[in-house]
Amino acid sequence: MDDPATIRRSNIVAAATPIFLRYGFARTTMADIAKVSRLTRPTLYLTFPDKESVFQAVVETMIEAKMTQIRQGISDLASFEERLLYACNAWAAEGYELVQAHPDAQDMFDLGFKSVCAGYQAFEDLIADIICQPAQRSAVDMPSAKIARSIVYALKGFKDIAADGADLRALIATHVAVVSAAFSTTKRIRSK
């Protein structure tokens, strides 16, 4: 059984998540978090020293849940292309749709926050794992980590230019198809 401090921390993170999603980092206050957590501000400050640490815990919890969702979702998919498409849609398209519903949720994807950067790195590592074996069997002569980084930040760019969720999913599908086709080539494609 978890100790009371761990339970309180989890409850605060669960209560603060929808507040950060709705109002973003800048507009959310510790008073807001205390209120939705049904705690006094002094009790909240016993658990989290500041708003940044609550935000970090929320982002880390969301990233962990997303990584779990992606790993479970790809476990039953047969092809490399299906696994990569699922992972990219789960990360980028679902995040895009969240921001469309709640524009201030954009903070959850702001690389100015260390916890968000760590989340992108976790996703990049997951993509590298997904592409590792197909890349080794292909004519692509590049490290999986380098390819994964390219994919992850292409997704970020797609979110910036997409007209809507359907357009973003189409951009992702095209990119995944191109990557998959590259992995089926026999001519060597080298990294520079």
Side-chain angles (χ1 to χ4, degrees):
M1 179 178 231
D2 289 329
D3 67 288
T6 302
I7 293 169
R8 182 174 58 237
R9 180 180 170 81
S10 295
N11 289 340
I12 293 167
V13 169
T17 299
I19 298 300
F20 280 120
L21 290 174
R22 183 165 181 183
Y23 298 112
F25 178 79
R27 291 179 39 210
T28 299
T29 66
M30 287 296 271
D32 297 331
I33 297 166
K35 183 178 178 180
V36 298
S37 301
R38 297 187 175 139
L39 297 171
T40 63
R41 284 178 49 190
T43 302
L44 175 60
Y45 280 107
L46 285 173
T47 308
F48 289 100
D50 51 36
K51 179 172 71 169
E52 290 83 5
S53 61
V54 180
F55 183 77
Q56 178 178 337
V58 166
V59 170
E60 288 170 353
T61 301
M62 290 179 67
I63 296 298
E64 185 178 314
K66 183 56 70 178
M67 294 297 106
T68 299
Q69 173 202 340
I70 294 170
R71 283 187 185 96
Q72 289 173 347
I74 65 174
S75 66
D76 294 330
L77 298 176
S79 75
F80 161 71
E81 189 169 349
E82 289 172 317
R83 290 189 301 275
L84 184 59
L85 182 61
Y86 178 88
C88 291
N89 276 324
W91 179 264
E94 291 176 15
Y96 177 88
E97 290 159 357
L98 174 68
V99 171
Q100 294 307 299
H102 305 285
D104 287 324
Q106 181 61 39
D107 290 346
M108 307 313 254
F109 305 96
D110 183 343
L111 291 170
F113 294 101
K114 289 181 183 178
S115 55
V116 174
C117 290
Y120 270 85
Q121 185 61 57
F123 181 62
E124 195 175 310
D125 293 344
L126 178 62
I127 294 297
D129 288 345
I130 292 171
I131 66 176
C132 184
Q133 288 183 346
Q136 288 173 348
R137 291 189 301 258
S138 78
V140 178
D141 188 20
M142 292 179 208
S144 296
K146 188 173 188 175
I147 299 166
R149 184 169 179 78
S150 172
I151 292 168
V152 169
Y153 289 98
L155 297 176
K156 184 160 180 35
F158 294 159
K159 290 191 300 186
D160 292 341
I161 64 162
D164 56 30
D167 187 35
L168 178 59
R169 287 179 186 276
L171 289 166
I172 291 169
T174 300
H175 192 64
V176 167
V178 169
V179 170
S180 296
F183 284 169
S184 66
T185 62
T186 55
K187 185 178 177 185
R188 296 303 282 175
I189 300 171
R190 291 189 184 4
S191 171
K192 290 188 178 193

